[in-house]
Amino acid sequence: MTRPMRICPLLQQLLLRLLQAVFGMTVSGRRNVPRSGGVIIACNHISNLDPPVLGSAVPRRVSFMAKAELFTSRAGDFFLPRLGAFPVNRDSVDTAALRTALAELERGRALIVFPEGTRSHDGRMLPLKAGVGLIAARSGAPVLPAFLWGTSRPRRAILRRPGFSVRFGRVIAPERLRAAGARKTVEMIREGIAGVGRDLLPGGDTA
């Protein structure tokens, strides 16, 4: 099993500064991100820009799942692993990706997942895939809900209408996830992400 390389903190900071300067990016709730230990950062998904945008906002090194199709080009195959990404096949149960995710959490890494499995084209959250519940259950790691906005319209973001926004919620403890059971774990994570979105967006429409 190949361990994903991770972007160094200096490059994360440089990318964050660039996104703030060009796209008016704002980040809130960073104090809620655990600074050590395995944690699953579960976020909504509206753009292919989401992984690097969210990754730059996390104040520690990250790993994340990315759809396998992004690794088929030379550029993707070269750069994505260096950003901490590893491929996941969305058309089936990808046991290799699951093993990699669990290994990263066991090493105390921050693992970014987009549990909807694909991008929402209207900003409304899609049903979550069961995989995020499986990873949470097998790893025993806490889950940190997060929400992104503005990345689906980068041209508008340049004009700050609106800019990119990232917000981190409060950690869902492993004890709460275990007590919820497999099916309710996924529902709890979805509600956690949606709740962060309601705090972030005018009108709070994430349903």
Side-chain angles (χ1 to χ4, degrees):
M1 179 177 60
T2 302
R3 292 175 58 180
M5 295 173 277
R6 279 166 295 281
I7 187 170
C8 74
L10 177 59
L11 289 180
Q12 277 179 284
Q13 294 173 23
L14 290 174
L15 179 56
L16 177 60
R17 299 293 180 266
L18 178 64
L19 291 167
Q20 288 172 330
V22 177
F23 298 103
M25 178 165 154
T26 60
V27 182
S28 56
R30 291 185 91 200
R31 67 171 66 90
N32 295 335
V33 181
R35 295 306 195 266
S36 62
V39 60
I40 302 165
I41 302 176
C43 189
N44 67 313
H45 193 17
I46 55 175
S47 166
N48 285 331
L49 295 173
D50 293 345
V53 169
L54 181 57
S56 74
V58 178
R60 56 183 288 192
R61 292 188 179 189
V62 298
S63 297
F64 59 92
M65 292 182 174
K67 60 182 181 181
E69 295 89 332
L70 295 177
F71 291 81
T72 56
S73 68
R74 288 187 178 181
D77 190 52
F78 179 82
F79 285 109
L80 285 172
R82 287 161 175 79
L83 293 172
F86 57 95
V88 58
N89 186 340
R90 299 177 300 168
D91 297 326
S92 62
V93 177
D94 192 334
T95 56
L98 176 61
R99 286 196 299 269
T100 301
L102 294 174
E104 289 295 286
L105 291 167
E106 187 176 352
R107 294 185 185 104
R109 308 301 188 191
L111 176 70
I112 291 175
V113 297
F114 297 95
E116 292 164 281
T118 189
R119 288 170 292 156
S120 168
H121 295 290
D122 61 5
R124 294 174 177 267
M125 283 190 63
L126 305 172
L128 303 195
K129 302 293 186 182
V132 66
L134 182 61
I135 294 171
R138 291 195 179 180
S139 67
V143 174
L144 177 68
F147 200 89
L148 282 162
W149 193 249
T151 53
S152 61
R153 297 179 176 178
R155 291 183 182 178
R156 289 192 179 185
I158 292 174
L159 300 174
R160 312 296 193 264
R161 294 190 292 183
F164 290 176
S165 298
V166 180
R167 184 179 179 89
F168 297 101
R170 295 188 178 277
V171 168
I172 305 173
E175 295 78 11
R176 288 186 60 199
L177 297 169
R178 284 196 296 269
R183 181 178 298 178
K184 289 188 177 180
T185 289
V186 176
E187 295 175 4
M188 185 181 295
I189 294 171
R190 186 185 189 281
E191 179 53 35
I193 298 171
V196 179
R198 285 192 289 271
D199 291 339
L200 174 65
L201 301 179
D205 188 5
T206 62

